[in-house]
Amino acid sequence: TSCPNQQKNITVVPLPATPVGITGEILICPDASYIYTVNSPDPNRIYTWEVTNGSFIGSNTGTQISIQFGATAPYGVKVYRKSIAPALCKSLPFILTVNKKQINAEISSANATVCANSYAPYTANQTGISNPYVEGDLYTWSVSPANLGSISTGQGTNNVNVLWNNVPTATTVTLTLMIKKCTITQTFTKQVQILPTPFIEINSAASVCSGSPITFTVVSTNGAPLNSSTVVTWNLGNG
């Protein structure tokens, strides 16, 4: 109680303003490098950066930085504005949300059932609509089992013709499409049923009286389906 009072004056300065924005990709591929730049930088301020699920290529300080994102989301980029004098103060961050690019594609729905020894077209379409998907860097098509079909034309593009080989009985095979976009690879499949070429015979009575009706029936001898969509052409031999 015998010591004299002392006073110290402290100046509290406001935080620097939050940066107004970031310019850079918001849809990215993992393991690829991207450049981000702060919008309208103030030359009298320092800018520092943070990244979520990524790493800096070089420094994390400056008006422009380079980032490589990892394989796992979520992703994000933050930038802070720092004052130099009278105190080193850091602003609230401007946050840019970044997402992984998606390959929103599917194999066209047509030609799920085909005839043996025939060609059928297939297209990589945008998911849910019939417009072709054109954003892929590489398209690779294949048939499994490989001995039941082959890519006749269009390999490496978003549209192919497939030659389906002969089968003794109705057989289900898999048509596979692998699309590569930057560092992302995604696989799509479609089940296709190959119907064999029918081997047929005609069943009827062995004899019939003149003027009496007789019924002829076509039957499949190798299991190839004959149904309401089957077209049968008859020839009585005399036109």
Side-chain angles (χ1 to χ4, degrees), residues 41-177:
D42 183 343
N44 298 315
R45 295 290 186 261
I46 299 171
Y47 292 89
T48 59
W49 300 74
E50 293 179 2
V51 60
T52 303
N53 291 325
S55 58
F56 292 98
I57 303 173
S59 174
N60 72 328
T61 302
T63 58
Q64 185 179 86
I65 48 88
S66 181
I67 292 176
Q68 179 173 301
F69 294 95
T72 305
Y75 303 112
V77 179
K78 296 179 181 179
V79 63
Y80 299 86
R81 193 196 315 248
K82 285 186 176 180
S83 60
I84 302 172
L88 190 64
C89 300
K90 185 169 72 172
S91 72
L92 296 175
F94 182 90
I95 302 173
L96 180 69
T97 300
V98 178
N99 293 298
K100 183 178 178 180
K101 290 183 179 180
Q102 300 294 323
I103 301 177
N104 297 314
E106 61 186 4
I107 301 175
S108 54
S109 59
N111 301 315
T113 303
V114 296
C115 296
N117 297 321
S118 69
Y119 293 89
Y122 299 89
T123 303
N125 282 345
Q126 298 177 39
T127 304
I129 58 178
S130 59
N131 293 341
Y133 180 82
V134 297
E135 297 180 11
D137 299 325
L138 180 65
Y139 303 82
T140 304
W141 301 78
S142 60
V143 175
S144 179
N147 64 320
L148 296 184
S150 59
I151 309 304
S152 174
T153 60
Q155 182 66 279
T157 72
N158 63 352
N159 184 274
V160 293
N161 273 303
V162 179
L163 171 60
W164 297 109
N165 297 337
N166 197 23
V167 290
T169 60
T171 305
T172 299
V173 299
T174 302
L175 176 63
T176 300
L177 167 61

